[in-house]
């Protein structure tokens, strides 16, 4: 590859072009990465300076070349039934709920896969819909799939896939809806016809709400990870406007909407999280509840404490905090039995607080009583569906139990709720290497390094098993190197 300097001015021109066309924003720290990508593409195009390549990209003939560049910048990784829990939720809960409501209004089921890449995601939706149609009265179904990469859209329309793409397709679907020739899997025409593919840039302004409205369900997974938070906020708001009341948004597991939107409700469905546009009457109630809560907050200084598990007077809350602090000390001193004895009186069903239950679950884990640890974590989660600590501990228990797949699912839930959870990402990195998903492993280790460098205070030393942030960064870097070598 030719060695060329990318001047600041050139960097800004490319950066702005890419941001405008695809919403992907290169921070100044990524200048070198962009330069490498550009040089690689220039070599393939036989060009020897950045100005010529910029001209090519800006010309009408440059759209195809832009797709190639995009494929270098983003990881267009996708596969059928990616994140199975979400598709289970779609099949068993979300579609039935929408169909039930639709049958009252008698209209259609409309699903949009935004950022569909080479089609695996919208075709998975089509497979689920097609399989469910037998014996069920379906309204008319529309599945729209959009992307900014024309190359990806062309591949999607062909509907021909390699083994990697279909690795998670259940056998009955594979036999029924694909035919295999040599090492390629050809998707059945009946499924291909269910999906309409179209070019659409999610960061287009002004957003064409009129054409893009009335969706029951929107999938937008692993797309906004490349956007700036400001662009993501706009995109999420647009989705909100595009959905019908009671509609759902599926996001990728590292794309929590927590800090990006307060319009959606987070709901747990069939073991995964989805975002719901509440119907108007419920929204009114939610708003009223929020206002009441805020009013309450002004009056009670202790209102920041979680009260959902046990509604306790402040005196009791302080007592529990002291007991928990002492129990933690005992646990750290290697005395789990004594810690358990101390907590025992506070474990009664009606008043047990989240922190007491978490500590008791940690004690079970410490004593190797994994079944009870799992049960207790599940109790915490059923009372506090957004408990990051509950999911994290459950994941750690499964990892200790060597139930890798379950541990992966739970760590992913932690990231839904708290994408900057470095330790969950580190664990995911290890688990992915264990199960042979090496690209995912590298990505998670790299995420840990980035997070700990950008926001070192997100680190919780107590849960880190002896790792300091610096040691964790070094460990991740050396694991990435090892994985690179093993490929
Ligand atoms: C990693 S793939 C995700 C595919 C699929 N949603 C999944 O989760 O398996 C990301 C896709 O987002 C598309 N993309 C990136 N920026 C976009 C934009 N501004 N508008 C629409 N699609 C975009 C990319 O072209 C790529 O195909």
């Amino acid at each position: 590859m030719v060695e060329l300097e990318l001047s600041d001015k050139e960097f800004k021109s490319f950066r702005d072009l890419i941001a405008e066309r695809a919403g992907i924003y290169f921070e100044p720290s990524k200048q070198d990465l962009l330069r490498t990508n550009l040089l690689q593409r220039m070599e393939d195009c036989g060009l020897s300076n950045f100005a010529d390549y910029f001209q090519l990209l800006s010309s009408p003939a440059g759209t195809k070349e832009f797709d190639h560049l995009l494929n270098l910048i983003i990881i267009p990784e996708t596969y059928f039934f990616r994140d199975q829990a979400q598709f289970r939720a779609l099949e068993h809960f979300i579609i039935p709920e929408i169909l039930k409501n639709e049958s009252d209004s008698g209209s259609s089921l409309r699903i949009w896969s935004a950022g569909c890449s080479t089609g695996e995601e919208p075709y998975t939706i089509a497979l689920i819909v097609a399989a469910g149609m037998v014996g069920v009265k379906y309204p008319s179904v529309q599945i729209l799939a959009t992307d900014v990469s024309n190359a990806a859209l062309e591949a999607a329309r062909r509907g021909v896939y390699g083994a990697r793409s279909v690795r998670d397709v259940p056998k009955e679907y594979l036999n029924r809806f694909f035919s295999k020739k040599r090492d390629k899997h050809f998707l059945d025409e009946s499924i291909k016809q269910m999906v309409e593919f179209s070019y659409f840039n999610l960061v287009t302004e002004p957003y064409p709400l009129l054409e893009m409205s009335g969706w029951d369900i929107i999938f937008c997974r692993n797309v906004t990870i490349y956007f700036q938070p400001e662009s993501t906020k706009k995109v999420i708001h647009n989705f909100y406007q595009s959905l019908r009341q009671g509609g759902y948004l599926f996001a990728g597991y590292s794309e929590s909407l927590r800090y990006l939107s307060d319009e959606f409700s987070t709901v747990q469905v069939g073991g995964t999280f989805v975002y719901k546009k509440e119907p108007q009457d419920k929204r009114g109630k939610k708003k009223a509840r929020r206002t009441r809560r805020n009013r309450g907050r002004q009056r009670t200084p202790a209102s920041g404490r979680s009260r959902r598990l046990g509604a306790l007077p402040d005196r009791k809350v302080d007592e529990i905090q002291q007991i928990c602090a002492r129990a933690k000390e005992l646990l750290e001193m290697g005395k789990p039995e004594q810690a358990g004895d101390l907590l025992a009186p506070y474990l009664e069903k009606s008043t047990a607080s989240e922190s007491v239950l978490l500590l008791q679950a940690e004690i079970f884990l410490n004593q190797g009583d994994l079944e009870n640890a799992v049960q207790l974590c599940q109790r915490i989660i059923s009372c506090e569906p957004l408990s990051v600590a509950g999911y994290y501990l459950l994941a750690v228990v499964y990892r200790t139990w060597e139930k890798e797949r379950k541990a992966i699912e739970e760590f992913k839930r932690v990231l839904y709720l708290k994408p900057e959870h470095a330790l969950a990402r580190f664990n995911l990195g290890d688990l992915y290497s264990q199960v042979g998903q090496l690209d995912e492993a590298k990505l998670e280790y790299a995420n840990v390094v980035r997070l700990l460098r950008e926001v070192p205070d997100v680190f919780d030393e107590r849960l880190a098993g002896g790792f300091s942030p610096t040691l964790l960064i070094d460990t991740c870097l050396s694991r990435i190197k090892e994985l690179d070598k093993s490929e």
Side-chain angles (χ1 to χ4, degrees):
M1 209 189 296
V2 266
E3 280 305 314
L4 269 183
E5 276 310 308
L6 179 69
S7 70
D8 287 351
K9 195 166 162 234
E10 286 168 329
F11 168 68
K12 282 182 187 142
S13 310
F14 281 108
R15 180 196 65 188
D16 293 347
L17 182 81
I18 294 165
E20 185 199 311
R21 291 222 190 142
I24 299 161
Y25 189 81
F26 276 85
E27 298 290 346
S29 60
K30 301 262 171 71
Q31 182 157 343
D32 217 41
L33 179 67
L34 178 60
R35 177 180 155 274
T36 313
N37 290 333
L38 294 173
L39 285 175
Q40 194 168 329
R41 284 310 310 152
M42 281 159 59
E43 187 165 286
D44 287 356
C45 297
L47 296 175
S48 55
N49 67 67
F50 290 115
D52 287 351
Y53 187 61
F54 187 82
Q55 205 171 12
L56 168 65
L57 283 182
S58 319
S59 72
T63 49
K64 227 187 174 121
E65 178 47 35
F66 188 77
D67 288 348
H68 291 305
L69 179 62
L70 205 61
N71 276 347
L72 278 185
I73 294 170
I74 54 184
I75 307 165
E77 161 78 347
T78 180
Y79 47 92
F80 283 87
F81 288 88
R82 179 181 199 175
D83 205 339
Q84 305 210 5
Q86 292 195 326
F87 288 108
R88 275 199 300 274
L90 177 76
E91 179 178 3
H92 299 295
F93 299 96
I94 308 276
I95 293 185
E97 180 188 309
I98 288 172
L99 290 185
K100 190 172 156 279
N101 297 337
E102 298 287 319
S103 68
D104 304 334
S105 61
S107 51
S108 60
L109 173 65
R110 302 185 70 224
I111 306 176
W112 174 19
S113 160
C116 63
S117 190
T118 38
E120 287 87 333
E121 179 180 279
Y123 283 143
T124 302
I125 299 168
L127 286 171
I128 285 171
V129 170
M133 274 174 159
V134 187
V136 180
K137 200 172 159 288
Y138 253 71
S140 71
V141 180
Q142 183 191 1
I143 303 171
L144 174 71
T146 60
D147 204 284
V148 278
S149 164
N150 286 304
L153 289 168
E154 263 172 46
R157 288 189 190 102
R158 279 196 295 276
V160 181
Y161 296 97
R164 212 176 137 73
S165 280
V166 300
R167 63 185 186 261
D168 280 349
V169 177
K171 262 229 161 66
E172 65 271 24
Y173 285 101
L174 207 55
N175 295 337
R176 190 168 148 201
F177 296 113
F178 290 84
S179 50
K180 194 174 176 203
K181 282 183 204 129
R182 292 208 196 95
D183 56 344
K184 294 285 175 214
H185 298 264
F186 291 72
L187 188 61
D188 198 86
E189 272 309 310
S190 63
I191 302 295
K192 282 166 66 178
Q193 279 169 12
M194 289 174 70
V195 183
E196 178 196 343
F197 289 96
S198 178
Y199 175 94
F200 184 70
N201 184 354
L202 289 167
V203 296
T204 298
E205 286 195 50
Y207 179 72
L209 183 59
L210 224 53
E211 292 128 71
M212 302 307 282
S213 60
W215 299 100
D216 293 298
I217 300 166
I218 298 175
F219 274 73
C220 184
R221 306 182 311 158
N222 310 300
V223 179
T224 60
I225 34 176
Y226 302 100
F227 297 175
Q228 280 203 299
E230 271 320 301
S231 304
T232 308
K233 269 188 192 166
K234 280 188 198 157
V235 169
I236 302 296
H237 172 67
N238 292 339
F239 286 152
Y240 185 81
Q241 291 195 299
S242 284
L243 280 168
R244 286 180 181 163
Q245 288 185 32
Y248 288 93
L249 170 66
F250 285 78
Y253 79 82
S254 51
E255 296 165 300
S256 164
L257 304 197
R258 225 166 170 209
Y259 307 107
L260 297 170
S261 166
D262 57 5
E263 293 172 308
F264 283 97
S265 301
T266 308
V267 286
Q268 206 196 20
V269 185
T272 189
F273 293 103
V274 284
Y275 300 100
K276 183 169 189 180
K277 175 173 179 172
E278 296 289 0
Q280 207 120 44
D281 53 337
K282 262 204 161 180
R283 255 184 289 157
K285 281 184 198 151
K286 188 177 159 194
K287 210 170 162 190
R289 260 204 314 275
R290 217 185 293 149
T291 320
R292 270 204 304 277
R293 253 205 326 261
N294 288 344
R295 261 193 243 129
R297 255 185 208 139
Q298 285 157 13
R299 274 188 262 123
T300 49
S303 56
R305 291 165 183 155
S306 167
R307 295 263 177 109
R308 266 166 291 171
L309 263 162
L312 299 169
D314 286 350
R315 189 173 31 79
K316 193 85 179 159
V317 172
D318 292 339
E319 181 186 327
I320 286 179
Q321 277 177 349
Q322 282 173 11
I323 293 294
C324 286
R326 178 68 190 136
K328 270 182 207 165
E329 275 172 23
L330 288 167
L331 204 57
E332 274 155 25
M333 285 156 65
K335 297 179 177 169
E337 282 82 11
Q338 287 182 27
D341 290 346
L342 200 62
L343 291 180
Y346 299 88
L347 285 170
E348 298 146 44
K349 271 208 163 91
S350 55
T351 54
S353 78
E354 184 184 5
S355 42
V356 169
L357 294 178
L358 276 168
L359 259 175
Q360 181 56 50
E362 213 177 315
I363 292 169
F364 282 141
L365 170 65
N366 218 285
Q367 294 171 321
D369 186 352
L370 303 180
E371 247 166 76
N372 269 322
V374 165
Q375 269 179 24
L376 205 47
C377 289
Q378 283 168 342
R379 181 174 152 200
I380 296 164
I381 291 163
S382 73
C383 299
E384 295 275 348
L386 305 182
S387 166
V388 174
Y391 288 109
Y392 183 80
L393 194 56
L394 182 58
V396 171
V397 177
Y398 279 136
R399 192 173 171 198
T400 313
W401 208 340
E402 296 181 2
K403 293 181 185 287
E404 285 86 8
R405 286 285 163 203
K406 284 193 164 178
I408 288 175
E409 281 309 309
E410 299 307 330
F411 280 123
K412 279 162 72 170
R413 289 196 178 104
V414 173
L415 295 181
Y416 268 121
L417 298 171
K418 196 172 177 194
E420 71 279 18
H421 202 301
L423 287 170
R425 291 195 181 276
F426 179 67
N427 274 282
L428 267 178
D430 284 355
L431 285 159
Y432 280 137
S433 333
Q434 258 169 281
V435 299
Q437 289 178 237
L438 304 188
D439 288 343
E440 283 91 343
K442 278 198 285 187
L443 193 68
E444 290 306 353
Y445 288 136
N447 279 332
V448 176
V449 175
R450 179 180 53 78
L451 275 169
L452 291 181
R453 282 183 178 154
E454 280 172 11
V455 261
D457 56 336
V458 297
F459 193 72
D460 184 344
E461 301 254 357
R462 218 179 73 74
L463 298 171
F467 277 106
S468 67
T470 327
L471 183 58
L472 200 56
I473 290 177
D474 290 347
T475 309
C476 288
L477 290 173
S478 75
R479 291 201 181 157
I480 293 172
K481 247 192 211 155
E482 278 165 28
L483 288 171
D484 279 339
K485 259 194 247 155
S486 71
E487 277 177 352

